[in-house]
């Protein structure tokens, strides 16, 4: 009887390292999709940074009061850089959609039913990506071939208008992320605060047609630093997700 008890204890002791190894393998496999989601976000951020350096400076672009002929001349003069940067931005938004879809699913697993915030986050991400990608089309048309002044002006206005309007779903997306993370603490709180700041900033950019030449206008630096808050959040959330505890 004692011998059987000893043999049983020995077998159980031998099985402990095996169970530990299996648990480690399960954790590693569970975290692999999370790492891929984070890497998609980092890839989106990297493409955005490259596109910023490829594109001509946004603050040098003709303002909303510029003539159609000036807009057409600007687009043709820097057409190669504009098209290259738009391609990079388009790839970046594609990677962002992958990141947002994965992050939405990851957050959904950590949110209590009915999963309202993670759903709002996902829908906001899709809506902002659609508006941004739609804004690229008239910009492509401006740079693809020479446009008459009567068409160049409206195309430029359409580009800036769609980009400005994308501030609303961006604010919804970032606001939902901030609320969910603050409630669940599944990711660092500072990423939620960054998202909240970005949400407020994008409400401002949505109002950029309010005046000409003032702070809230397309001619001011608001079109530069407001999108920067969104780009910074992508990098921050991706880095935080990359270091997230798989057991949370």
């Amino acid at each position: 009887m004692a011998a059987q008890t000893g043999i049983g204890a020995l077998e159980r002791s031998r099985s402990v390292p095996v169970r530990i190894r299996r648990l480690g393998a399960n954790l590693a496999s569970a975290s692999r999709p999370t790492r891929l989601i984070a890497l998609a976000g980092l890839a989106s951020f990297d493409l955005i940074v490259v596109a910023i350096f490829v594109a001509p400076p946004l603050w040098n672009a003709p303002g909303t009061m510029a003539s159609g002929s000036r807009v057409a001349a600007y687009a043709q003069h820097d057409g190669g850089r504009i098209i290259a940067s738009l391609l990079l931005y388009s790839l970046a938004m594609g990677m962002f959609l992958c990141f947002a879809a994965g992050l939405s699913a990851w957050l959904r697993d950590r949110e209590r039913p009915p999963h309202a915030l993670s759903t709002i986050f996902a829908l906001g991400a899709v809506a902002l990506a659609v508006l941004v990608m739609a804004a690229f089309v008239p910009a492509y048309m401006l740079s693809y071939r020479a446009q008459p002044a009567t068409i160049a002006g409206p195309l430029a206005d359409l580009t800036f208008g769609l980009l400005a309007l994308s501030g609303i779903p961006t604010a919804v997306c970032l606001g939902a992320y901030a609320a969910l993370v603050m409630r669940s603490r599944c990711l660092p709180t500072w990423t939620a605060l960054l998202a909240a700041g970005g949400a407020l900033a994008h409400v401002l950019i949505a109002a950029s047609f309010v005046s000409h030449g003032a702070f809230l206008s397309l001619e001011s630096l608001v079109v530069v630093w407001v999108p920067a808050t969104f780009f910074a959040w992508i990098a921050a959330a991706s880095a935080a997700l990359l270091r997230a505890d798989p057991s949370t």
Side-chain angles (χ1 to χ4, degrees):
M1 184 66 178
Q4 293 177 352
T5 303
I7 293 173
L10 180 60
E11 290 178 348
R12 286 194 297 271
S13 65
R14 288 178 176 175
S15 66
V16 170
V18 176
R19 292 176 181 175
I20 293 175
R21 287 195 297 271
R22 287 177 179 174
L23 177 61
N26 290 336
L27 290 177
S29 62
S31 64
R32 192 173 297 117
T34 303
R35 290 198 298 269
L36 291 176
I37 296 168
L39 291 175
L42 292 175
S44 175
F45 176 77
D46 290 342
L47 286 169
I48 289 171
V49 171
V50 174
I52 290 173
F53 285 99
V54 171
L58 187 59
W59 52 85
N60 290 339
T64 54
M65 299 299 293
S67 64
S69 57
R70 182 185 171 193
V71 172
Y74 172 83
Q76 288 304 301
H77 180 268
D78 294 309
R81 294 181 63 181
I82 293 173
I83 291 175
S85 65
L86 287 175
L87 175 59
L88 291 170
Y89 278 125
S90 300
L91 294 174
M93 292 309 299
M95 294 305 299
F96 167 75
L97 280 176
C98 297
F99 167 68
L103 180 57
S104 173
W106 191 89
L107 293 172
R108 184 180 180 86
D109 288 340
R110 287 150 183 82
E111 184 187 12
R112 295 179 180 178
H115 309 292
L117 290 174
S118 58
T119 302
I120 293 172
F121 169 81
L123 291 177
V126 171
L128 78 88
V130 168
L131 285 175
V132 170
M133 296 287 280
F136 292 162
V137 176
Y140 269 121
M141 293 175 64
L142 267 173
S143 306
Y144 175 71
R145 63 179 178 177
Q147 300 289 349
T150 54
I151 296 179
L155 286 177
D157 290 341
L158 183 60
T159 295
F160 282 111
L162 288 169
L163 290 176
L165 192 60
S166 70
I168 297 299
T170 303
V172 171
C173 174
L174 295 179
Y177 172 90
L180 200 161
V181 171
M182 289 293 291
R183 176 181 296 181
S184 65
R185 308 288 179 174
C186 57
L187 288 173
T189 304
W190 64 268
T191 64
L193 297 176
L194 180 61
L200 294 175
H202 278 79
V203 173
L204 293 179
I205 203 171
S208 56
F209 281 106
V210 171
S211 60
H212 295 287
F215 175 74
L216 288 179
S217 70
L218 296 175
E219 290 86 357
S220 72
L221 290 179
V222 70
V223 298
V224 177
W225 69 263
V226 169
T229 62
F230 176 61
F231 304 154
W233 169 79
I234 294 176
S238 301
L241 191 63
L242 196 61
R243 302 179 60 183
D245 185 355
S247 61
T248 58

